[in-house]
Amino acid sequence: NLENLVAELDKKLKLNSGETDLIAMQHVFKIQPADLTKKAFTRRSSMVMIGEKNGPSAMSLGVGLPTAIGAQLILDGKISLRGVIIPTEKEIYEPVLAALKDEGIVLRE
């Protein structure tokens, strides 16, 4: 059952004392302007993040911080959109990215 799987994964994937994790991420976008007479171009965004030894993992920060920031922005009334929304709306991504930057999490183009 699922509980047994979680228990096994916890044993096998747990970081030992002094160990850390690393996230390496790259997004590649091919962009075709609406004016088709203009040439398509490529943009890359990259991020490398290392977790803290005996502290938060990079994965926990990379997943948890955007979620927590988004929740706080909703509670503070700074995001008024409701429902299941992907974060392609400026009302969402601009303040979340700004808050992540304050935490030292940035994508570099």
Side-chain angles (χ1 to χ4, degrees), residues 1-65:
N1 70 24
L2 187 57
E3 291 171 1
N4 291 335
L5 175 63
V6 169
E8 281 301 308
L9 289 175
D10 188 45
K11 282 191 270 183
K12 293 179 188 248
L13 300 177
K14 188 173 185 174
L15 293 172
N16 293 316
S17 180
E19 291 183 332
T20 187
D21 66 336
L22 176 136
I23 296 173
M25 181 170 62
Q26 183 178 67
H27 294 170
V28 180
F29 302 96
K30 184 174 183 182
I31 301 164
Q32 175 63 59
D35 179 352
L36 297 177
T37 62
K38 294 185 178 179
K39 187 177 178 181
F41 58 96
T42 301
R43 287 247 168 101
R44 294 178 197 276
S45 293
S46 303
M47 178 183 77
V48 174
M49 191 170 149
I50 300 172
E52 298 176 25
K53 288 185 180 178
N54 303 316
S57 67
M59 185 60 78
S60 68
L61 293 172
V63 173
L65 279 174

